[in-house]
Amino acid sequence: MTNLKNKIIFISGANSGIGKACAEQFAKKGAKLILCSRNIDKLIKVAEKINEKYDTEILTYQLDISDRDKVSIVIDELPKKWQKIYALVNNAGGALGFDKFQDGNIDDWDEMIDSNVKGLLYLSRSIVPLMIKNKNGHVINIGSIAGVAAYPKGAVYCGVKAASKAISDGLRMDTVDTPIRVTNIQPGLVETNFSIVRFHGDKKTAKNVYKGLKALTADDIADIVLYSAQVPSHVQITEVTVTPTAQASGTVVHRK
Ligand code: 8X3
């Protein structure tokens, strides 16, 4: 397995949930972190806690990843010693709204497309050339089972996560003659603030999403991200679909 000590890991949406769990677990392995999020106050607190615990170097950026000019400025101006990015974890994104297509809120759609698709594209487009130059790199996208098969009231979220899968597959093909690896992780029900955001702050409805089953945790997903990043460099985990044992698909869930 690859030793992650001093490897540089770039994580978007690192201030909570899966992104934060990845940041903690990579830091535990001695990796250095570049973390970005729109909410810089929360991100700085996360970084300070990780630094206190694992004493590793961390760069933090307030960044809306759907702002392509800002993304390229941040990456272009990375200090030289931070340019050797070992892995990019495209985690920022998520779902907004749970409505029939015909009732969908178009602002929610725009935001989902901006963060899940444009953000992933802009960050990857800026960082992959650096990885190719360094002859080393790994793009790990946090997709979803929503991208494997659509479900009712999720057309647009399922669409953006299907984009994560298609972009991962296309990028993997375009970099096949380089050492770059591309992994798309496709989780099912993970209990984070995902559903609270999806339901625009309605905590009761959000809680019901995970009612009667043992959902995955952010750490369960971070474990898989870390494993993918640690396998020997000739091994490429192309995609991982992971659900709670009580979930068989986006629509088939057993609740007690
Ligand atoms: C999260 C999984 O099933 O809520 O991406 O769409 S699901």
Side-chain angles (χ1 to χ4, degrees), residues 26-42:
F26 275 112
K28 202 170 174 180
K29 295 281 178 193
K32 297 178 182 176
L33 306 175
I34 306 173
L35 308 179
C36 72
S37 166
R38 279 186 296 196
N39 185 337
I40 189 69
D41 296 336
K42 217 169 154 193

Side-chain angles (χ1 to χ4, degrees), residues 143-146 151 157-158 161 187-190 194-195 198 209-210 247 249-250:
S144 167
I145 57 161
Y151 53 74
Y157 179 63
C158 295
K161 289 303 188 183
L189 292 166
V190 183
F194 173 88
S195 291
R198 172 173 241 176
V209 173
Y210 312 102
Q247 180 180 29
S249 75

Side-chain angles (χ1 to χ4, degrees), residues 19-204:
K20 181 179 163 198
C22 288
E24 282 169 351
Q25 291 205 26
F26 275 112
K28 202 170 174 180
K29 295 281 178 193
K32 297 178 182 176
L33 306 175
I34 306 173
L35 308 179
C36 72
S37 166
R38 279 186 296 196
N39 185 337
I40 189 69
D41 296 336
K42 217 169 154 193
L43 186 67
I44 287 173
K45 281 196 186 118
V46 166
E48 280 172 356
K49 272 205 166 156
I50 292 176
N51 188 263
E52 253 170 49
K53 218 165 160 188
Y54 302 113
D55 188 28
T56 191
E57 285 180 67
I58 306 176
L59 283 186
T60 52
Y61 288 97
Q62 176 172 34
L63 183 61
D64 174 354
I65 55 169
S66 68
D67 182 334
R68 69 195 256 197
D69 293 334
K70 267 208 169 156
V71 168
S72 60
I73 290 170
V74 164
I75 306 304
D76 288 351
E77 294 183 356
L78 275 177
K80 201 158 174 50
K81 69 167 194 162
W82 286 90
Q83 287 176 8
K84 274 199 160 183
I85 296 170
Y86 178 78
L88 161 64
V89 182
N90 277 311
N91 161 73
L96 275 178
F98 190 70
D99 304 296
K100 286 194 173 184
F101 182 91
Q102 54 273 34
D103 302 322
N105 178 316
I106 299 177
D107 288 333
D108 284 351
W109 294 2
D110 278 342
E111 209 172 319
M112 282 191 279
I113 293 165
D114 281 352
S115 57
N116 292 280
V117 184
K118 290 185 181 176
L120 179 154
L121 289 171
Y122 298 158
L123 274 177
S124 306
R125 180 64 182 84
S126 292
I127 292 174
V128 168
L130 285 179
M131 291 175 163
I132 293 174
K133 205 170 112 200
N134 294 333
K135 298 190 173 58
N136 190 35
H138 191 168
V139 178
I140 302 173
N141 294 326
I142 305 299
S144 167
I145 57 161
V148 178
Y151 53 74
K153 300 187 177 175
V156 178
Y157 179 63
C158 295
V160 298
K161 289 303 188 183
S164 171
K165 177 180 163 44
I167 295 163
S168 302
D169 291 345
L171 173 59
R172 196 178 304 111
M173 291 170 191
D174 291 340
T175 54
V176 72
D177 56 349
T178 76
I180 310 306
R181 297 184 285 181
V182 184
T183 302
N184 193 43
I185 314 265
Q186 307 177 138
L189 292 166
V190 183
E191 192 160 5
T192 58
N193 67 354
F194 173 88
S195 291
I196 298 174
V197 174
R198 172 173 241 176
F199 292 108
H200 297 287
D202 177 349
K203 289 190 178 160
K204 203 170 152 219

